[in-house]
Amino acid sequence: MNADCAECGAGISVPEDAIVGEIVSCKDCSSEYEVAEISSGSVLLKPAEEAGEDWGE
Ligand SMILES: [Zn+2]
């Protein structure tokens, strides 16, 4: 499956067995996206939440 990077327009290849919630990244600009929806061979990505910077301690 393929999706387009919202940042740079490059194609992002998503594994055929990807699941909703999986994180994929653009190989061109390193933007990270979360798989938001998968339907009949097409995939919808949304920007991944920034995580891991604030551990809350
Ligand atoms: Zn990109």
Side-chain angles (χ1 to χ4, degrees):
M1 294 184 288
N2 281 289
D4 291 333
C5 177
E7 289 293 326
C8 72
I12 300 175
S13 65
V14 179
E16 292 296 327
D17 61 351
I19 57 172
V20 172
E22 187 158 329
I23 302 297
V24 296
S25 59
C26 174
K27 61 179 171 16
D28 278 18
C29 71
S30 298
S31 292
E32 294 197 319
Y33 296 94
E34 182 178 332
V35 177
E37 196 177 314
I38 298 173
S39 60
S40 59
S42 65
V43 60
L44 182 68
L45 302 181
K46 66 179 182 181
E49 299 289 330
E50 291 285 339
E53 291 184 4
D54 181 4
W55 292 88
E57 290 196 46

